[in-house]
């Protein structure tokens, strides 16, 4: 391979990686609601209809942007727009599993159950370890929940 062929190959490889990896990296951006309540709207602006009212800590995946507005998706795959300055990068999760989930004293199924959380409950993320998340519930209980029962960051 000549020097010019190598340069062309590296350039094509770089463009390919940017096309493949950049959208994937952007899709993984997460934010949480940083006000007591905000509206998830049908479009990027206050003139658009409010479809949902979201509470503090509610985690959202950013899937697009328009100015200061973020196009977002929630754990149920509902999509809408929120005003970016009303969000933060504070990690939170929401219970995605149906029925109550156990909050445990440690990150394993042998640990004592110290509380429960319901589908849709918003939890502050404190730590993640080997398939488990240490969370704080809205009532102040701190414990561990299996990560596959949660959605967020």
């Amino acid at each position: 391979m000549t020097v010019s062929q190598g340069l062309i190959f590296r350039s094509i490889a770089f463009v390919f990686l940017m096309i493949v990896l950049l959208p994937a990296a952007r899709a993984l951006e997460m934010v949480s609601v940083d006000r007591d309540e905000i509206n998830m709207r049908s479009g990027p602006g206050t003139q658009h209809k409010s479809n949902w009212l979201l509470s503090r800590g509610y985690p959202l995946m950013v899937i697009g942007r328009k100015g200061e507005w973020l196009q977002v998706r929630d754990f149920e795959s509902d999509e809408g727009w929120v005003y970016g300055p009303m969000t933060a990068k504070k990690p939170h999760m929401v219970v995605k599993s149906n029925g109550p989930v156990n909050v445990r004293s440690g990150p394993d199924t042998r640990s004592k159950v110290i509380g429960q959380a319901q589908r849709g409950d918003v939890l502050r993320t404190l730590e993640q370890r080997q398939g488990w998340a240490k969370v704080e519930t809205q009532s102040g209980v701190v414990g561990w929940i299996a990560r596959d029962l949660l959605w967020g960051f």
Side-chain angles (χ1 to χ4, degrees):
M1 183 182 296
T2 67
V3 173
S4 63
Q5 288 173 325
L7 183 59
I8 291 169
F9 176 78
R10 283 192 300 271
S11 297
I12 292 170
F14 176 77
V15 169
F16 174 78
L17 287 174
M18 293 305 291
I19 290 169
V20 171
L21 296 179
L22 197 55
R26 187 175 300 161
L28 296 177
E29 182 183 0
M30 299 290 290
V31 296
S32 60
V33 173
D34 199 33
R35 300 289 189 275
D36 288 340
E37 292 182 331
I38 68 171
N39 292 300
M40 182 191 285
R41 297 185 175 276
S42 60
T46 56
Q47 74 277 17
H48 293 278
K49 177 183 168 207
S50 175
N51 292 333
W52 304 101
L53 193 60
L54 306 175
S55 61
R56 185 177 295 276
Y58 196 89
L60 299 162
M61 177 185 294
V62 178
I63 58 173
R65 294 176 181 273
K66 186 170 185 181
E68 290 191 290
W69 288 84
L70 305 177
Q71 185 179 22
V72 294
R73 180 178 299 135
D74 73 4
F75 81 103
E76 295 178 311
S77 296
D78 292 323
E79 293 183 9
W81 293 82
V82 297
Y83 187 55
M86 294 185 171
T87 66
K89 300 270 186 198
K90 298 175 184 173
H92 284 77
M93 295 192 189
V94 63
V95 177
K96 69 177 183 179
S97 178
N98 291 324
V101 299
N102 292 325
V103 180
R104 298 182 176 274
S105 61
D108 59 67
T109 56
R110 294 179 307 281
S111 295
K112 180 181 174 184
V113 175
I114 57 173
Q116 290 191 321
Q118 303 293 325
R119 179 177 175 84
D121 284 356
V122 175
L123 312 165
R124 187 166 64 101
T125 307
L126 304 174
E127 181 182 343
Q128 293 191 54
R129 185 188 315 163
Q130 298 174 340
W132 290 82
K134 186 176 185 180
V135 296
E136 181 178 5
T137 68
Q138 292 172 339
S139 62
V141 174
V142 174
W144 295 85
I145 298 177
R147 180 66 178 90
D148 62 348
L149 302 175
L150 306 170
W151 186 91
F153 68 118

